């Protein structure tokens, strides 16, 4: 007889895993105990199953568990080990569920082969009952009414109209040929790209996973994430010189609902490997940060997206942040509850609910919101980065009786000011660095380069690369410009990544630089300068010298844009490491938090992990988004912030 324990360590809650653990309590062949370490706090959740039995019985159990426990994007480790005694019990595990249904995922290993395999007699039976995932309860009446014949007819109509225009140049397309699935949140599908003026990276539904590597350059972690039960969006680079995928980067996903599962299989049968999608599909967008996945920003709430946390008591009575007002109702709690205030945050942009708080929001709309009560451009109130710092350190690192201290945050975002904020041994924060606001047009950018010590290289660039010079003059930057995305867009033009025949958006240009950096696999790269400027309140970046050093390498004959693009990422990571070492000498740095949606940049994240991770522990609170609900939670711990008079 042997005691065996199966462990599944996850960076955040996985309701399906909790459900499966509960199911295995009824495994008759063996005496089973279950448990979950970390259910009542931020940080890793370790689901485990313990069993006592003979070798043959345990092998059969292992096979069953391997078949049932589908890969989760949040799974960071799994193991089987012999134990001396059980630590689990017979108590069912709790997990978040929606009030309206009990579904854990739209389909699972039991119903997927029946619904999604065209050789199955049940193929296309969207309302098929599944005792495991209960995915049928997620269907709306309109979705339940869809038949396989309806889906075949819609696909045929799309192909008849779309294939006739698929090979035409974009400017010659008569109209966008789309299929709108009213029964699936008005999801739009098209064989051709949607209007790029709407902004955002193109999104694709992969219909034929078997041809994935023929179209995209992916690693094993990305393929596993695409196949995971969360079915997230993954940023992927198409194979070089692909004849149809012309954008630098795409966000791709596998079928994520019963409707898209059947639709994708019908399209695959018709020879379609992927199709453009657009709409409120609410796929989580993930980024690989320091060896594991993290969610960039929640885009909606479904049956498993609402997360329940136990967080330390906030450090102040009232917080007004992002249009939310949250008041700590400490007087209503016993002393034991005071030491650990329960906190439940629903994924933004929906109104968060906070147990123990009153939450109010008057005119909050959408995901692209403004800070009405805290000005994140105010260097004295660097609240956004402060909130990101405290939310990251909530990952088991501090409580109300042990405040966060000796830490720093690198907050890189194109939604808010990109900053480095430090926290000393008293818990007081200070703004160390903020990216400067760049000019909004190419004329002014070149004018400032030409009137700086970089004048010589600017003039040589103008004469040696007149096409790129004209592309720079045509550049218009919109929205926030104190971010890396704007800097990457300018640099992409300077290194010749902009197509000569047209002017691309700043998002496209930034992606072009990121994709070029991902293509580089060399060991060495030039060192691009990121010199600091010292202002009255904080340091910033001398961007003219940064771009001047980039131009100097190109003028000297470096004609490999992928090497220069990589050099910009590697050099920035190196400078960040040097700056943090300087901070460490002054205040002592025990942890460095990473946050912000610019972390979707795969190359920069790798270089930061390599450069900074050698000397400092890197903190990412994977229980929260890195640029979303983490800010709302972290704001509860920000001290000494004034409120605007209208608050």
């Amino acid at each position: 007889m042997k005691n065996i324990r199966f462990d599944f360590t996850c960076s955040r809650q996985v309701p399906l895993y909790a459900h499966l653990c509960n199911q295995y309590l009824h495994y008759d062949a063996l005496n089973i105990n279950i448990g979950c370490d970390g259910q009542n706090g931020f940080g890793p959740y370790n689901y485990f199953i313990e069993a006592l039995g003979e070798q043959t019985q345990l092998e059969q159990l292992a096979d069953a568990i391997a078949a049932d426990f589908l890969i989760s994007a949040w799974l960071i480790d799994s193991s089987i080990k012999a134990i001396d005694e059980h630590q689990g019990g017979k108590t069912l595990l709790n997990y978040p569920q929606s009030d309206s249904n009990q579904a854990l995922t739209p389909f699972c290993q039991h119903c997927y082969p029946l619904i999604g395999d065209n050789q199955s007699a049940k193929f296309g039976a969207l309302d098929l009952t599944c005792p495991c995932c209960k995915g049928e309860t997620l269907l709306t009446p309109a979705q339940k009414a869809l038949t396989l014949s309806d889906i075949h007819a819609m696909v045929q109509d799309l192909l008849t109209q779309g294939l006739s225009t698929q090979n035409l140049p974009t400017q010659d397309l008569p109209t966008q040929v789309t299929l709108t699935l009213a029964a699936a949140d008005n999801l739009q599908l098209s064989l051709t790209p949607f209007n790029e003026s709407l902004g955002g990276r193109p999104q694709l539904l992969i219909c034929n996973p078997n041809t994935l590597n023929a179209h995209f350059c992916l690693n094993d972690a990305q393929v596993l994430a695409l196949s995971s039960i969360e079915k997230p969006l993954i940023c992927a680079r198409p194979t070089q010189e692909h004849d149809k995928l012309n954008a630098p980067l795409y966000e791709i996903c596998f079928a994520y609902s019963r409707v898209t599962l059947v639709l994708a299989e019908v399209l695959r049968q018709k020879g379609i490997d992927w199709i453009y999608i657009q709409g409120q599909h609410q796929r989580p967008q993930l980024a690989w940060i320091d060896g594991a996945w993290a969610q960039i920003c929640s885009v909606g709430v479904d049956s498993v997206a609402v997360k329940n946390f136990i967080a330390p008591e906030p450090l102040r009575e009232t917080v007004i942040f992002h249009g939310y007002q949250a008041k700590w109702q400490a007087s209503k709690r016993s002393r034991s509850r005071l030491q650990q205030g329960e906190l439940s945050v629903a994924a933004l942009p929906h109104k968060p609910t906070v147990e123990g708080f009153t939450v109010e929001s008057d005119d909050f709309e959408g995901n692209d919101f403004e800070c009405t009560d805290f000005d994140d451009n105010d260097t004295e109130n660097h609240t956004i980065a402060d909130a990101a710092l405290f939310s990251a350190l909530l990952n088991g690192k501090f409580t109300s009786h042990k405040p966060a201290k000796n830490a720093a945050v690198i907050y890189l975002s194109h939604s808010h000011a990109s900053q480095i904020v430090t926290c000393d041994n008293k818990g007081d924060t200070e703004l160390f660095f903020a990216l400067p606001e760049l000019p909004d047009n190419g004329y002014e950018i070149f004018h400032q380069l030409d009137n700086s010590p970089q004048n010589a290289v600017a003039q040589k660039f103008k004469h040696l690369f007149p096409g790129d010079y004209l592309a720079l003059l045509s550049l218009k930057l919109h929205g926030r410009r104190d971010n890396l995305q704007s800097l990457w867009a300018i640099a992409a033009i300077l290194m010749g990544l902009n197509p000569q025949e047209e002017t691309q958006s700043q998002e496209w240009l930034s992606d072009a630089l990121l994709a070029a950096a991902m293509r580089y696999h060399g060991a060495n790269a030039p060192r691009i300068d990121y010199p600091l400027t010292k202002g009255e309140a904080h340091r910033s970046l001398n961007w003219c010298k940064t771009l001047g050093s980039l131009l100097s390498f190109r003028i000297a004959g470096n004609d490999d844009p992928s090497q220069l693009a990589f050099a910009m990422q590697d050099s920035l990571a190196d400078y960040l490491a040097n700056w943090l070492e300087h901070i460490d000498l002054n205040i002592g740095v025990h942890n460095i938090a990473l946050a912000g949606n610019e972390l979707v940049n795969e190359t920069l994240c790798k270089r930061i992990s390599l450069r900074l991770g050698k000397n400092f522990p890197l903190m990412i609170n994977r229980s929260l988004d890195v640029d979303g609900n983490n800010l709302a939670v972290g704001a509860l711990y920000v001290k000494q912030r004034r409120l605007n008079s209208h608050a």
Side-chain angles (χ1 to χ4, degrees):
M1 300 288 284
K2 296 180 180 179
N3 258 329
I4 295 295
R5 172 165 158 153
F6 301 83
D7 285 285
F8 298 89
T9 304
C10 306
S11 57
R12 58 166 65 182
Q13 295 185 72
V14 181
L16 181 62
Y17 283 11
H19 171 74
L20 290 171
C21 286
N22 292 343
Q23 293 293 99
Y24 271 91
L25 277 179
H26 307 297
Y27 192 86
D28 295 332
L30 292 167
N31 181 28
I32 300 289
N33 285 345
I34 63 170
C36 180
D37 298 327
Q39 276 200 107
N40 297 319
F42 288 88
Y45 283 69
N46 184 54
Y47 301 94
F48 62 86
I49 297 174
E50 299 169 330
L52 174 65
E54 300 288 348
Q55 179 77 22
T56 303
Q57 294 174 309
L58 294 174
E59 288 176 355
Q60 292 173 350
L61 175 65
D63 291 340
I65 289 176
D68 285 340
F69 276 74
L70 303 178
I71 288 292
S72 168
W74 310 126
L75 181 66
I76 53 180
D77 191 23
S78 61
S79 64
I80 305 174
K81 61 186 177 184
I83 58 175
D84 295 327
E85 58 183 25
H86 288 170
Q87 295 179 341
K90 304 293 185 182
T91 304
L92 294 177
L93 303 181
N94 295 321
Y95 52 90
Q97 291 178 303
S98 168
D99 293 335
S100 60
N101 59 70
Q102 299 296 310
L104 294 163
T105 183
F107 50 84
C108 65
Q109 72 278 15
H110 297 291
C111 58
Y112 168 81
L114 300 175
I115 304 170
D117 187 346
N118 68 80
Q119 299 298 312
S120 167
K122 298 289 187 179
F123 176 53
L126 299 179
D127 60 350
L128 180 74
T129 300
C130 180
C132 181
C133 69
K134 302 176 184 177
E136 71 279 358
T137 61
L138 286 173
L139 296 172
T140 65
Q143 291 170 342
K144 289 180 180 179
L146 275 179
T147 66
L148 182 58
S149 297
D150 294 334
I151 295 176
H152 271 291
M154 289 188 291
V155 168
Q156 189 58 45
D157 186 50
L158 174 66
L159 298 183
T160 301
Q161 298 181 57
L163 287 176
S164 62
T165 61
Q166 192 179 27
N167 294 321
L168 292 175
T170 303
Q171 63 271 20
D172 295 337
L173 289 175
T175 55
Q176 184 82 43
V177 179
T178 63
L179 167 63
T180 301
L181 293 177
D185 299 320
N186 289 319
L187 179 70
Q188 291 183 303
L189 301 99
S190 174
L191 297 173
T192 55
F194 289 97
N195 189 349
E196 294 183 1
S197 65
L198 298 176
R201 200 168 280 146
Q203 296 181 346
L204 298 177
L205 173 66
I206 303 301
C207 304
N208 188 353
N210 293 329
T211 63
L212 190 62
N213 288 331
H215 301 299
F216 294 96
C217 301
L218 298 168
N219 57 40
D220 291 343
Q222 290 172 313
V223 174
L224 286 175
L226 287 169
S227 307
S228 69
I229 55 180
E230 290 79 15
K231 298 297 184 291
L233 283 168
I234 297 295
C235 179
R237 174 173 60 92
T239 55
Q240 202 159 359
E241 299 180 357
H242 196 287
D243 58 345
K244 292 181 180 177
L245 297 173
N246 301 316
L249 297 173
Y250 290 83
E251 290 178 348
I252 64 175
C253 67
F254 284 176
Y256 54 86
S257 68
R258 291 191 175 194
V259 174
T260 56
L261 177 66
V262 176
L263 184 73
E265 176 61 11
V266 173
L267 285 166
R268 186 197 66 78
Q269 288 181 281
K270 301 290 185 180
I272 304 299
D273 291 343
W274 43 263
I275 192 166
Y276 290 89
I277 59 172
Q278 180 176 272
Q280 300 300 316
H281 49 72
Q282 300 184 352
R283 293 300 86 214
Q285 183 190 26
L286 305 189
W288 186 261
I289 307 173
D290 195 35
W293 292 107
Q295 186 160 315
I296 295 297
C297 186
S298 301
V299 292
V301 178
D302 57 28
S303 61
V304 296
V306 178
K307 306 157 189 77
N308 299 288
F309 303 109
I310 302 296
E313 177 187 342
L315 301 180
R316 60 203 185 104
E317 287 293 318
T318 302
V319 175
I320 296 185
F321 183 77
H322 281 278
Y324 297 115
Q325 180 171 337
K327 297 180 180 178
W328 179 245
Q329 302 295 316
S331 61
K332 297 181 180 180
R333 297 176 173 272
S334 66
R335 180 167 296 276
S336 61
R337 296 286 298 278
L338 278 174
Q339 294 178 6
Q340 278 198 320
E342 294 181 5
L343 177 64
S344 172
V345 180
L348 294 178
H350 298 266
K351 181 192 294 186
T353 59
V354 183
E355 186 180 336
F357 294 77
T358 58
V359 182
E360 302 168 1
S361 178
D362 295 328
D363 51 6
F364 176 81
E365 294 182 2
N367 193 33
D368 187 16
F369 48 82
E370 296 294 330
C371 293
T372 57
D373 298 293
F374 286 132
D375 182 1
D376 62 349
N377 283 318
D378 187 339
T379 56
E380 294 181 359
N381 292 285
H382 34 89
T383 312
I384 299 291
D386 287 7
L389 170 63
F390 291 127
S391 68
L393 296 179
L394 266 174
N395 200 6
K397 290 296 179 182
F398 77 90
T399 68
S400 58
H401 303 290
K402 184 183 177 183
K405 59 183 181 180
N406 295 105
V409 63
I410 300 174
Y411 179 70
L412 302 174
S413 173
H414 52 252
S415 304
H416 305 289
S418 294
Q419 301 175 337
I420 297 175
V421 168
T422 64
C423 181
D424 62 18
N425 59 3
K426 297 179 181 178
D428 295 327
T429 59
E430 181 180 355
L431 179 60
F432 172 80
F433 171 85
L435 277 173
E437 185 173 33
L438 297 168
D440 64 358
N441 65 86
Y443 277 98
E444 182 61 25
I445 291 167
F446 187 82
H447 174 72
Q448 292 198 31
L449 281 170
D450 200 30
N451 285 275
S452 74
Q454 317 308 313
N455 166 269
V457 291
Q459 287 299 322
K460 287 182 180 178
F461 166 75
K462 177 179 178 179
H463 293 295
L464 290 176
F465 308 103
D468 294 331
Y469 168 71
L470 293 176
L472 176 63
L473 297 186
S474 301
L475 178 65
K476 303 290 183 184
L477 297 177
H478 304 285
R480 297 198 71 98
R481 302 187 305 280
D482 52 348
N483 51 42
L484 291 177
Q485 185 185 72
S486 299
L487 184 65
W488 301 152
I490 300 167
I493 292 178
L494 298 184
M495 63 179 65
L497 291 173
N498 183 71
Q500 298 294 326
E501 65 273 8
E502 56 183 313
T503 301
Q504 298 288 352
S505 68
Q506 67 195 66
E507 292 87 356
W508 192 99
L509 290 167
S510 175
D511 277 359
L513 184 138
L514 300 186
M518 293 161 69
R519 287 195 296 269
Y520 184 72
H521 300 293
N524 301 304
R527 184 175 174 85
I528 307 298
D529 290 334
Y530 287 88
L532 292 174
T533 61
K534 185 68 171 73
E536 293 182 3
H538 66 279
R539 298 159 187 81
S540 190
L541 177 69
N542 183 343
W543 61 269
C544 282
K545 191 167 183 181
T546 299
L547 297 179
S549 68
L550 173 67
L551 284 176
S552 66
F553 285 108
R554 190 177 183 200
I555 291 168
N558 189 320
D559 57 356
D560 183 359
S562 64
Q563 186 186 57
L564 293 177
F566 175 84
M568 293 205 73
Q569 317 299 311
D570 184 54
S571 298
L572 176 58
D574 194 29
Y575 272 88
L576 287 171
N578 290 336
W579 299 341
L580 267 298
E581 287 170 5
H582 170 76
I583 295 171
D584 184 36
L585 291 175
N586 290 332
I587 67 169
V589 176
H590 300 165
N591 298 284
I592 296 177
L594 301 178
N597 53 24
E598 297 271 21
L599 295 180
V600 77
N601 181 344
E602 175 184 310
T603 305
L604 181 60
C605 281
K606 287 181 179 177
R607 305 315 293 175
I608 286 177
S609 293
L610 179 65
R611 300 285 191 180
L612 278 141
K614 292 187 300 183
N615 299 320
F616 301 100
L618 301 180
M619 299 296 300
I620 303 100
N621 189 343
R622 304 182 198 275
S623 301
L624 299 169
D625 303 339
V626 295
D627 207 6
N629 53 27
N630 66 320
L631 302 180
V633 173
L636 299 172
Y637 302 89
V638 176
K639 298 188 298 182
Q640 299 174 350
R641 293 292 177 262
R642 64 169 175 79
L643 303 179
N644 290 343
S645 58
H646 69 273

